[in-house]
């Protein structure tokens, strides 16, 4: 496998960052410095990075428990972006507060009228792991609805619905309480759960995302944020 591709697949960095590290002479194969991004890594070979190479990768990921009323990404006039929550007062755990002009796009949307787990990240490897077309990570939601929650409705939610003329992938949908459902999806179409429920005569009045792959919202209070840990990053990429 090409060295730059190997580094990206291993979750070390993005392909662009790999190219920069290799060109700067900060990557070795079996103890020999390599400056050709196309150099092949053979089975059994060892790839090493210079001690300060990882420190130069400035991608970070923040975990937020987004409240209702905040938008994930760039807002329209009058809307409040989730990055406004990134203050010292709202922070849980260590790490610097990002600059106000830091580029931290959302990794997977969460609508203004939904709440729960949201990732903001400048880490291309994490972004690819979560939202690339090849990603197999599932997302889990707890959804409160009004309307008749029948077996027929549940069956249709699990399999057989279409949105925008395209068939949806099978979903895991279970009934927690009389009008509370758990959705586990492995795709993320626009307002998908709300539109799915509309198709079977249900109306969503509360939607919370509680998990992305192995990463759970846990006990992070609403409106608060923290840094993704190194072990959580590794788990997301490996999953």
């Amino acid at each position: 496998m090409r060295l730059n591709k190997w580094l990206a697949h291993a979750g070390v960095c993005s392909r662009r960052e790999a190219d920069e590290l290799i060109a700067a002479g900060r990557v070795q194969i079996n103890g020999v410095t390599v400056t050709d991004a196309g150099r092949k890594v053979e089975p059994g070979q060892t790839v090493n990075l210079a001690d300060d190479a990882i420190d130069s990768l400035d991608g970070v990921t923040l975990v937020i428990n987004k409240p209702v009323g905040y938008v994930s990404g760039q807002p329209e006039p009058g809307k409040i972006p989730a990055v406004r929550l990134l203050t010292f007062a709202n922070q849980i755990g260590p790490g610097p507060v990002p600059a106000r002009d830091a580029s931290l796009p959302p990794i997977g949307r969460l609508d203004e009228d939904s709440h729960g787990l949201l990732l903001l990240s400048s880490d291309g490897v994490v972004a690819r792991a979560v939202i690339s077309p090849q990603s197999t990570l599932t997302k889990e939601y707890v959804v409160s609805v009004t309307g008749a929650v029948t077996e027929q409705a549940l069956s249709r939610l699990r399999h057989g619905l279409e949105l925008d003329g395209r068939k949806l992938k099978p979903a895991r949908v279970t009934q927690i309480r009389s009008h509370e459902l758990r959705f586990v999806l492995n795709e993320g179409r626009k307002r998908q759960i709300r539109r799915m429920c509309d198709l079977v005569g249900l109306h969503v009045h509360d939607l919370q995302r509680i998990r992305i792959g192995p990463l759970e919202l846990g006990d992070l209070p609403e409106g608060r944020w923290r840094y993704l840990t190194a072990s959580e990053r590794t788990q997301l990429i490996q999953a």
Side-chain angles (χ1 to χ4, degrees), residues 145-214:
V145 299
T146 55
V149 182
T150 64
E151 281 302 318
Q152 181 183 17
L154 292 173
S155 178
R156 291 184 63 204
L157 288 171
R158 292 170 184 142
H159 190 71
L161 293 177
E162 289 186 3
L163 289 178
D164 304 319
R166 291 168 48 204
K167 197 172 184 63
L168 294 173
K169 295 180 181 179
R172 298 206 303 271
V173 184
T174 54
Q175 189 171 8
I176 304 171
R177 298 182 181 86
S178 60
H179 286 83
E180 189 172 70
L181 306 176
R182 185 184 308 275
F183 281 73
V184 178
L185 306 179
N186 59 0
E187 62 183 330
R189 309 271 282 275
K190 186 176 181 180
R191 297 181 68 83
Q192 179 172 337
I193 292 176
R194 295 177 187 276
R195 295 168 69 195
M196 288 171 68
C197 287
D198 285 342
L199 290 174
V200 299
L202 299 175
H203 175 70
V204 173
H205 65 84
D206 187 74
L207 189 155
Q208 181 186 36
R209 183 158 63 199
I210 62 171
R211 180 177 62 80
I212 298 174

Side-chain angles (χ1 to χ4, degrees), residues 29-49:
I29 297 179
N30 281 3
V32 178
T33 299
V34 176
T35 56
D36 175 12
R39 171 76 175 271
K40 296 294 179 65
V41 180
E42 304 293 341
Q45 290 185 322
T46 300
V47 177
N48 293 314
L49 272 66

